[in-house]
Amino acid sequence: MKSPLNTLSLKSLEAFRAIIETDSATAAAKSLGITQPGVSRLLASFEEHVGFALFYREKGRLFPTEEALALYKEVELTLQGAERIALLAKNIFNSDLGWLKIVAPNSFIAGPLADVVTDFLRLHPKVKISLDTHTPAAARELVAHRSVDCGFIQLPENHPGLLVEPVLSGITVCALSPQHPLASQDQISIHDLRNEPLILLGKGRYSRTQINSLFGQANISMQIKLETHTVAIACSFAKRNLGIAIVNEMLAGQYAADDLVLIPLVPALTYEYGFITSSHAPMNRLTTAFFKHCLQSFTGAQ
């Protein structure tokens, strides 16, 4: 007997299974979408490898031998395994399977990223996503060293271990209580903020440096009442009329309500966020699919 593992094809096994299940080479050919002679050749190939006949013909029908019935269960298991491999490969190719690890600022996750992730999971229901938040410094290292697949970070960014793609930008606004005297204005200027108690974020970060520069250029001293590192906390105290929070609109938008208004700050300051991945290896298929989904969601790019 020749070894079935040398050149035996899955097509031969499929033909064998189909003949057993239909009792006919013609019906088997129809179910497989090939010709009857094609099925006969595949069966002959299988019989040549095993070294004995698998069927006998009686009154125009094919009946399996005892040897064939003994092989059938294992052939079925083999084909099911091959089908599972094919399905798994298809799911991986279509980014329908896997675990995607993402790091981003807490307010970004709860704000603009929430709908994007929800839509992505609806499109890819077998995908699982891990969302985590860290300091910008820790997020950079996690992505650069591939401890997570990707992340979002405020630009500019020049870490040598990262690849950065801008994906989203927004303006700076003043968040304040509706009871505040400035709450009825269409915009708030730096000069309007003279002597106003301020709630500020991100001490030492680029966005805070920009705000400091605006006040310095206008020769206005900042009256800082509260400092924090989260938009949620800043907006929470602004609602209580403790002061005016100067915040990123795309992150603060989720907190706008009857007890909090957002008014554009002039001169305008923009915030920009980038999608970051490690420069040490290309994105896998799932991360690439998520990146493309983000581009389409944030910018409309295909």
Side-chain angles (χ1 to χ4, degrees):
M1 180 179 96
K2 295 182 180 179
S3 172
L5 299 178
N6 289 339
T7 58
L8 184 60
S9 71
L10 290 176
K11 287 293 184 183
S12 295
L13 300 184
E14 289 176 341
F16 168 74
R17 179 177 65 177
I19 294 171
I20 283 187
E21 292 175 349
T22 64
D23 297 330
S24 164
T26 302
K30 184 176 180 181
S31 70
L32 294 174
I34 59 177
T35 65
Q36 188 272 330
V39 166
S40 297
R41 284 193 296 271
L42 290 170
L43 177 59
S45 174
F46 191 17
E47 289 180 327
E48 180 183 355
H49 277 80
V50 299
F52 49 82
L54 296 169
F55 294 88
Y56 62 92
R57 185 177 295 276
E58 186 175 300
K59 296 181 181 180
R61 294 177 59 191
L62 289 175
F63 291 90
T65 64
E66 290 185 8
E67 292 82 0
L69 293 175
L71 286 172
Y72 174 70
K73 185 176 180 180
E74 290 303 318
V75 168
E76 178 69 8
L77 290 173
T78 298
L79 290 174
Q80 287 177 355
E83 288 163 0
R84 286 194 297 271
I85 292 171
L87 179 60
L88 176 60
K90 180 181 178 182
N91 286 337
I92 293 172
F93 180 82
N94 293 328
S95 303
D96 288 330
L97 195 67
W99 191 289
L100 183 65
K101 296 181 180 180
I102 305 169
V103 63
N106 184 66
S107 296
F108 191 88
I109 293 173
L113 195 57
D115 286 339
V116 174
V117 168
T118 300
D119 290 343
F120 186 77
L121 288 175
R122 284 174 178 159
L123 290 170
H124 306 275
K126 293 184 180 179
V127 168
K128 295 179 176 63
I129 287 182
S130 168
L131 288 169
D132 205 356
T133 184
H134 289 275
T135 65
R140 292 183 187 100
E141 295 305 314
L142 286 170
V143 176
H145 292 96
R146 301 171 65 193
S147 297
V148 298
D149 298 298
C150 60
F152 295 86
I153 202 162
Q154 189 175 329
L155 304 182
E157 179 57 57
N158 55 11
H159 190 290
L162 298 176
L163 296 177
V164 184
E165 293 284 350
V167 290
L168 186 62
S169 62
I171 64 171
T172 302
V173 294
C174 294
L176 59 162
S177 164
Q179 283 74 48
H180 195 283
L182 297 177
S184 60
Q185 297 188 184
D186 293 331
Q187 59 185 31
I188 294 176
S189 73
I190 288 294
H191 296 283
D192 291 329
L193 297 177
R194 188 186 300 272
N195 299 322
E196 289 288 344
L198 301 176
I199 301 170
L200 298 181
L201 291 89
K203 188 174 183 180
R205 299 182 188 176
Y206 179 72
S207 56
R208 177 62 177 275
T209 301
Q210 287 183 300
I211 293 171
N212 292 347
S213 295
L214 279 184
F215 279 88
Q217 291 166 13
N219 198 28
I220 296 174
S221 176
M222 289 189 293
Q223 305 300 314
I224 301 174
K225 191 72 173 178
L226 179 71
E227 286 191 314
T228 180
H229 281 291
T230 75
V231 173
I233 292 174
C235 289
S236 179
F237 283 99
K239 287 180 181 181
R240 290 164 171 77
N241 210 11
L242 181 71
I244 297 175
I246 301 178
V247 290
N248 180 337
E249 182 188 36
M250 73 177 88
L251 305 185
Q254 61 191 297
Y255 306 112
D258 293 340
D259 56 356
L260 185 73
V261 295
L262 304 178
I263 302 174
L265 174 68
V266 291
L269 285 178
T270 60
Y271 290 85
E272 190 170 27
Y273 280 82
F275 184 91
I276 56 174
T277 54
S278 175
S279 63
H280 303 301
M283 285 187 280
N284 59 37
R285 296 189 67 85
L286 182 56
T287 306
T288 300
F290 181 66
F291 171 58
K292 291 179 179 178
H293 177 78
C294 289
L295 282 180
Q296 184 173 0
S297 300
F298 288 142
T299 70
Q302 298 296 321

